[in-house]
Coordinates of all heavy atoms in Angstrom, one line a residue:
Chain C
M18 N 16.2 0.2 -19.6 CA 17.1 0.5 -18.5 C 16.4 0.1 -17.2 O 15.2 0.3 -17.1 CB 17.4 2.0 -18.4 CG 17.9 2.5 -19.8 SD 18.3 4.2 -19.7 CE 16.7 4.9 -20.3
P19 N 17.1 -0.4 -16.2 CA 16.5 -0.5 -14.9 C 16.2 0.9 -14.3 O 16.9 1.8 -14.5 CB 17.6 -1.2 -14.1 CG 18.8 -1.1 -14.8 CD 18.5 -0.9 -16.2
A20 N 15.0 0.9 -13.6 CA 14.6 2.2 -13.0 C 15.3 2.5 -11.7 O 15.7 1.6 -11.0 CB 13.1 2.2 -12.8
S21 N 15.4 3.8 -11.4 CA 16.1 4.2 -10.2 C 15.5 3.6 -8.9 O 14.2 3.5 -8.8 CB 16.0 5.7 -10.1 OG 16.7 6.1 -8.9
G22 N 16.3 3.1 -8.1 CA 15.9 2.5 -6.8 C 15.5 1.1 -6.8 O 15.2 0.5 -5.8
C23 N 15.4 0.5 -8.1 CA 15.0 -0.9 -8.2 C 16.2 -1.7 -8.6 O 16.0 -2.9 -8.9 CB 13.9 -1.0 -9.2 SG 12.5 0.0 -8.7
F24 N 17.4 -1.2 -8.6 CA 18.5 -1.9 -9.2 C 19.8 -1.5 -8.4 O 20.9 -1.9 -8.7 CB 18.7 -1.5 -10.6 CG 19.3 -2.5 -11.5 CD1 18.5 -3.6 -11.9 CD2 20.6 -2.4 -12.1 CE1 19.0 -4.6 -12.8 CE2 21.1 -3.4 -12.9 CZ 20.3 -4.5 -13.3
G25 N 19.6 -0.8 -7.3 CA 20.7 -0.3 -6.4 C 21.7 0.4 -7.3 O 21.4 1.3 -8.1
F26 N 23.0 0.0 -7.1 CA 24.0 0.5 -8.0 C 24.6 -0.6 -8.9 O 25.7 -0.6 -9.3 CB 25.1 1.2 -7.1 CG 24.6 2.3 -6.3 CD1 24.2 2.1 -5.0 CD2 24.5 3.6 -6.9 CE1 23.7 3.2 -4.2 CE2 23.9 4.6 -6.1 CZ 23.6 4.4 -4.8
G27 N 23.7 -1.6 -9.2 CA 24.0 -2.6 -10.2 C 24.7 -3.8 -9.7 O 24.5 -4.9 -10.3
K28 N 25.4 -3.7 -8.6 CA 26.3 -4.8 -8.2 C 25.6 -6.1 -8.0 O 26.0 -7.2 -8.6 CB 27.0 -4.4 -6.9 CG 28.4 -5.0 -6.7 CD 29.1 -4.3 -5.5 CE 30.0 -3.1 -6.0 NZ 30.4 -2.3 -4.9
E29 N 24.4 -6.1 -7.3 CA 23.7 -7.3 -7.0 C 23.2 -8.0 -8.3 O 23.3 -9.2 -8.5 CB 22.5 -7.1 -6.1 CG 22.9 -6.6 -4.7 CD 23.3 -5.1 -4.7 OE1 23.0 -4.4 -5.7 OE2 23.9 -4.7 -3.7
F30 N 22.8 -7.2 -9.3 CA 22.2 -7.8 -10.5 C 23.3 -8.3 -11.4 O 23.0 -9.1 -12.3 CB 21.2 -6.8 -11.2 CG 19.9 -6.7 -10.4 CD1 19.8 -5.8 -9.4 CD2 18.9 -7.6 -10.8 CE1 18.5 -5.7 -8.7 CE2 17.7 -7.5 -10.1 CZ 17.5 -6.6 -9.0
S31 N 24.5 -7.8 -11.2 CA 25.6 -8.2 -12.1 C 25.9 -9.7 -11.8 O 26.6 -10.4 -12.6 CB 26.9 -7.4 -11.9 OG 27.4 -7.6 -10.6
D32 N 25.4 -10.2 -10.7 CA 25.5 -11.7 -10.4 C 24.6 -12.5 -11.4 O 24.9 -13.7 -11.6 CB 25.1 -12.0 -9.0 CG 26.1 -11.6 -8.0 OD1 27.2 -11.2 -8.4 OD2 25.8 -11.7 -6.8
F33 N 23.6 -11.9 -11.9 CA 22.6 -12.6 -12.7 C 22.9 -12.5 -14.2 O 22.7 -13.5 -14.9 CB 21.2 -12.1 -12.4 CG 20.7 -12.4 -11.0 CD1 20.6 -11.4 -10.1 CD2 20.4 -13.7 -10.7 CE1 20.2 -11.7 -8.8 CE2 20.0 -14.0 -9.4 CZ 19.9 -13.0 -8.4
Y34 N 23.4 -11.4 -14.7 CA 23.7 -11.3 -16.1 C 24.7 -10.1 -16.3 O 24.9 -9.3 -15.4 CB 22.5 -11.1 -17.0 CG 21.6 -9.9 -16.7 CD1 21.8 -8.7 -17.3 CD2 20.5 -10.0 -15.7 CE1 21.0 -7.6 -17.0 CE2 19.7 -9.0 -15.4 CZ 20.0 -7.7 -16.1 OH 19.2 -6.7 -15.8
D35 N 25.2 -10.0 -17.5 CA 26.2 -9.0 -17.8 C 25.5 -7.7 -18.0 O 24.7 -7.5 -18.9 CB 26.9 -9.4 -19.1 CG 27.9 -8.4 -19.6 OD1 28.1 -7.4 -18.9 OD2 28.5 -8.6 -20.7
L36 N 25.8 -6.7 -17.2 CA 25.1 -5.4 -17.2 C 25.3 -4.7 -18.5 O 24.6 -3.7 -18.9 CB 25.5 -4.6 -16.0 CG 25.3 -5.2 -14.6 CD1 25.5 -4.1 -13.5 CD2 23.8 -5.7 -14.5
S37 N 26.3 -5.1 -19.3 CA 26.6 -4.4 -20.6 C 25.4 -4.7 -21.6 O 25.3 -4.0 -22.6 CB 27.9 -4.9 -21.2 OG 29.0 -4.6 -20.4
E38 N 24.6 -5.7 -21.3 CA 23.5 -5.9 -22.1 C 22.4 -4.9 -22.0 O 21.5 -4.8 -22.9 CB 22.8 -7.3 -21.8 CG 23.8 -8.5 -22.1 CD 23.1 -9.8 -22.0 OE1 21.9 -9.9 -22.3 OE2 23.7 -10.8 -21.6
L39 N 22.4 -4.1 -21.0 CA 21.4 -3.1 -20.7 C 21.5 -1.9 -21.6 O 22.6 -1.4 -21.9 CB 21.4 -2.7 -19.2 CG 21.1 -3.7 -18.2 CD1 21.4 -3.3 -16.8 CD2 19.6 -4.1 -18.3
G40 N 20.4 -1.3 -21.9 CA 20.4 0.0 -22.7 C 21.1 1.1 -21.9 O 21.9 1.9 -22.4
G41 N 20.9 1.1 -20.6 CA 21.5 2.0 -19.7 C 21.2 1.6 -18.3 O 20.5 0.6 -18.1
I42 N 21.7 2.3 -17.3 CA 21.3 2.0 -15.9 C 21.0 3.3 -15.2 O 21.8 4.2 -15.2 CB 22.5 1.2 -15.2 CG1 22.8 -0.1 -15.9 CG2 22.1 1.0 -13.7 CD1 24.0 -0.8 -15.3
I43 N 19.9 3.3 -14.6 CA 19.5 4.5 -13.8 C 19.7 4.1 -12.3 O 19.1 3.2 -11.8 CB 18.1 5.0 -14.0 CG1 17.8 5.1 -15.5 CG2 17.8 6.3 -13.3 CD1 16.3 5.5 -15.8
I44 N 20.7 4.7 -11.7 CA 21.0 4.3 -10.3 C 20.2 4.9 -9.2 O 19.4 5.8 -9.5 CB 22.6 4.5 -10.0 CG1 22.9 6.0 -10.2 CG2 23.4 3.6 -10.9 CD1 24.4 6.3 -9.8
K45 N 20.3 4.4 -8.1 CA 19.5 4.8 -6.9 C 19.8 6.3 -6.6 O 20.9 6.8 -6.9 CB 20.0 3.9 -5.7 CG 19.4 4.3 -4.3 CD 18.0 3.9 -4.2 CE 17.3 4.5 -3.0 NZ 15.8 4.5 -3.1
A46 N 18.8 7.0 -6.1 CA 18.9 8.4 -5.8 C 20.1 8.7 -5.0 O 20.5 8.0 -4.0 CB 17.7 8.9 -5.1
A47 N 20.8 9.8 -5.3 CA 21.9 10.4 -4.5 C 21.4 11.7 -3.8 O 20.7 12.5 -4.5 CB 23.1 10.6 -5.4
T48 N 21.8 11.8 -2.6 CA 21.5 13.1 -1.9 C 22.9 13.7 -1.4 O 23.9 13.0 -1.6 CB 20.6 12.9 -0.6 OG1 21.2 11.9 0.2 CG2 19.2 12.4 -1.1
G49 N 22.8 14.9 -0.8 CA 24.1 15.5 -0.5 C 24.8 14.7 0.6 O 26.0 14.5 0.5
E50 N 24.1 14.3 1.6 CA 24.7 13.5 2.7 C 24.2 12.1 2.7 O 23.1 11.9 2.1 CB 24.4 14.2 4.1 CG 24.8 15.6 4.2 CD 26.3 15.8 4.1 OE1 27.0 14.9 4.7 OE2 26.8 16.7 3.5
Q51 N 24.8 11.2 3.4 CA 24.3 9.9 3.6 C 22.9 10.0 4.3 O 22.7 10.8 5.1 CB 25.3 9.2 4.5 CG 24.7 8.0 5.2 CD 25.8 7.3 6.1 OE1 27.0 7.4 5.8 NE2 25.4 6.5 7.0
R52 N 22.0 9.2 3.8 CA 20.6 9.2 4.5 C 20.3 7.8 4.9 O 20.5 6.8 4.2 CB 19.5 9.7 3.5 CG 19.6 11.1 3.2 CD 18.2 11.6 2.9 NE 18.3 12.9 2.3 CZ 17.3 13.7 1.9 NH1 16.0 13.1 2.0 NH2 17.4 14.8 1.4
Y53 N 19.7 7.6 6.1 CA 19.2 6.3 6.5 C 17.9 6.0 5.9 O 17.5 4.8 5.7 CB 19.2 6.2 8.0 CG 18.7 4.9 8.5 CD1 19.5 3.8 8.4 CD2 17.3 4.7 8.9 CE1 19.1 2.5 8.8 CE2 16.9 3.4 9.2 CZ 17.8 2.3 9.2 OH 17.3 1.1 9.5
G54 N 17.1 7.0 5.7 CA 15.7 6.7 5.1 C 14.7 6.4 6.2 O 14.9 6.8 7.4
N55 N 13.6 5.8 5.8 CA 12.5 5.6 6.8 C 12.6 4.4 7.6 O 13.3 3.5 7.2 CB 11.2 5.5 5.9 CG 10.8 6.8 5.3 OD1 10.9 7.9 5.8 ND2 10.4 6.7 4.0
P56 N 11.8 4.3 8.7 CA 11.8 3.1 9.5 C 11.2 2.0 8.6 O 10.5 2.2 7.7 CB 10.9 3.4 10.7 CG 10.3 4.7 10.4 CD 11.1 5.4 9.3
T57 N 11.4 0.7 9.1 CA 10.8 -0.4 8.4 C 9.5 -0.8 9.1 O 9.4 -0.4 10.3 CB 11.7 -1.6 8.4 OG1 12.1 -1.9 9.8 CG2 13.0 -1.4 7.6
P58 N 8.6 -1.5 8.5 CA 8.5 -2.0 7.1 C 8.5 -0.8 6.1 O 7.8 0.2 6.3 CB 7.2 -2.8 7.1 CG 6.8 -3.1 8.5 CD 7.4 -2.0 9.3
R59 N 9.2 -1.1 5.0 CA 9.3 -0.1 3.9 C 8.5 -0.5 2.7 O 8.5 0.3 1.7 CB 10.7 0.1 3.6 CG 11.5 0.8 4.7 CD 13.0 0.9 4.3 NE 13.8 1.7 5.2 CZ 15.0 2.1 5.0 NH1 15.7 1.6 3.9 NH2 15.6 2.8 5.9
V60 N 8.1 -1.8 2.6 CA 7.4 -2.2 1.4 C 6.2 -3.0 1.8 O 6.1 -3.6 2.9 CB 8.3 -3.2 0.5 CG1 9.4 -2.4 -0.1 CG2 8.8 -4.4 1.3
A61 N 5.2 -3.0 0.9 CA 4.0 -3.8 1.1 C 3.5 -4.2 -0.3 O 3.7 -3.5 -1.3 CB 2.9 -3.0 1.8
E62 N 2.9 -5.4 -0.3 CA 2.4 -5.8 -1.6 C 1.0 -5.3 -1.8 O 0.2 -5.1 -0.9 CB 2.3 -7.4 -1.6 CG 2.1 -8.0 -3.0 CD 2.1 -9.5 -2.9 OE1 1.5 -10.0 -2.0 OE2 2.8 -10.1 -3.8
T63 N 0.6 -5.0 -3.1 CA -0.8 -4.6 -3.4 C -1.2 -5.4 -4.6 O -0.4 -6.1 -5.2 CB -0.8 -3.1 -3.7 OG1 -0.1 -2.9 -5.0 CG2 -0.2 -2.2 -2.6
S64 N -2.4 -5.3 -5.1 CA -2.9 -6.0 -6.2 C -2.1 -5.5 -7.5 O -2.2 -4.3 -7.8 CB -4.4 -5.7 -6.5 OG -5.1 -6.2 -5.4
S65 N -1.4 -6.4 -8.1 CA -0.6 -6.0 -9.3 C 0.4 -4.9 -9.0 O 0.6 -4.1 -9.9 CB -1.4 -5.7 -10.5 OG -2.2 -6.8 -10.9
G66 N 0.9 -4.8 -7.8 CA 1.9 -3.8 -7.5 C 2.4 -3.8 -6.1 O 2.2 -4.8 -5.4
M67 N 3.1 -2.8 -5.7 CA 3.6 -2.7 -4.4 C 3.7 -1.3 -4.0 O 3.7 -0.3 -4.8 CB 5.0 -3.4 -4.4 CG 6.1 -2.6 -5.2 SD 7.7 -3.3 -5.1 CE 8.2 -2.7 -3.5
L68 N 3.8 -1.1 -2.7 CA 4.1 0.2 -2.1 C 5.5 0.2 -1.6 O 6.0 -0.8 -1.0 CB 3.2 0.5 -0.9 CG 1.7 0.7 -1.2 CD1 0.9 0.8 0.1 CD2 1.5 2.0 -2.0
N69 N 6.2 1.3 -1.7 CA 7.5 1.4 -1.0 C 7.7 2.8 -0.4 O 7.2 3.8 -0.9 CB 8.7 1.1 -2.0 CG 9.2 2.4 -2.7 OD1 10.0 3.1 -2.2 ND2 8.7 2.6 -3.9
A70 N 8.4 2.8 0.7 CA 8.8 4.1 1.3 C 10.2 3.9 1.9 O 10.4 3.8 3.1 CB 7.8 4.4 2.4
I71 N 11.1 3.8 0.9 CA 12.5 3.6 1.3 C 13.0 4.9 2.0 O 13.7 4.9 2.9 CB 13.4 3.3 0.1 CG1 12.8 2.1 -0.7 CG2 14.9 3.1 0.5 CD1 12.8 0.8 0.1
G72 N 12.6 6.0 1.4 CA 12.9 7.3 2.0 C 14.3 7.7 1.5 O 15.1 8.4 2.3
L73 N 14.7 7.4 0.3 CA 15.9 7.9 -0.3 C 17.2 7.5 0.5 O 18.2 8.2 0.5 CB 15.9 9.5 -0.4 CG 14.9 10.1 -1.4 CD1 15.1 11.6 -1.4 CD2 15.1 9.5 -2.8
Q74 N 17.1 6.3 1.1 CA 18.4 5.8 1.7 C 19.5 5.7 0.7 O 19.3 5.1 -0.4 CB 18.1 4.4 2.3 CG 19.4 3.9 2.9 CD 19.2 2.8 4.0 OE1 18.1 2.2 4.0 NE2 20.1 2.6 4.9
N75 N 20.6 6.3 1.0 CA 21.8 6.2 0.1 C 23.0 6.7 0.8 O 22.9 7.4 1.8 CB 21.5 7.0 -1.2 CG 21.8 8.5 -1.0 OD1 22.8 9.0 -1.4 ND2 20.8 9.2 -0.4
P76 N 24.2 6.3 0.3 CA 25.4 6.7 1.1 C 25.9 8.1 0.9 O 26.9 8.5 1.5 CB 26.4 5.7 0.5 CG 25.9 5.1 -0.7 CD 24.4 5.5 -0.8
G77 N 25.1 8.9 0.1 CA 25.5 10.3 -0.1 C 26.3 10.4 -1.4 O 27.0 9.4 -1.8
V78 N 26.3 11.5 -2.0 CA 26.9 11.7 -3.4 C 28.4 11.4 -3.4 O 28.9 10.7 -4.3 CB 26.5 13.1 -4.0 CG1 27.1 14.2 -3.1 CG2 27.0 13.2 -5.4
D79 N 29.1 11.8 -2.4 CA 30.6 11.6 -2.4 C 30.9 10.2 -2.4 O 31.8 9.7 -3.2 CB 31.2 12.3 -1.2 CG 31.1 13.9 -1.3 OD1 31.0 14.4 -2.5 OD2 30.9 14.5 -0.3
Q80 N 30.3 9.4 -1.5 CA 30.6 8.0 -1.4 C 30.1 7.3 -2.6 O 30.7 6.3 -3.1 CB 29.9 7.4 -0.2 CG 30.8 7.3 1.0 CD 30.3 6.2 1.9 OE1 30.1 5.1 1.5 NE2 30.1 6.6 3.2
I81 N 29.0 7.7 -3.2 CA 28.5 7.0 -4.5 C 29.6 7.2 -5.5 O 29.9 6.2 -6.2 CB 27.2 7.6 -4.9 CG1 26.1 7.2 -3.9 CG2 26.8 7.2 -6.3 CD1 24.7 7.8 -4.2

Side-chain angles (χ1 to χ4, degrees):
Chain C
M18 308 179 267
S21 180
C23 301
F24 212 71
F26 300 96
K28 215 166 264 165
E29 295 80 14
F30 285 88
S31 71
D32 286 352
F33 293 108
Y34 58 89
D35 179 1
L36 304 187
S37 298
E38 295 190 32
L39 295 167
I42 298 175
I43 311 180
I44 58 176
K45 175 77 190 156
T48 54
E50 302 297 322
Q51 161 177 340
R52 289 207 194 181
Y53 178 75
N55 292 319
T57 55
R59 291 177 172 186
V60 293
E62 193 178 46
T63 68
S64 296
S65 296
M67 63 176 285
L68 293 171
N69 90 81
I71 306 300
L73 294 182
Q74 177 158 24
N75 80 100
V78 61
D79 295 326
Q80 266 205 52
I81 290 176

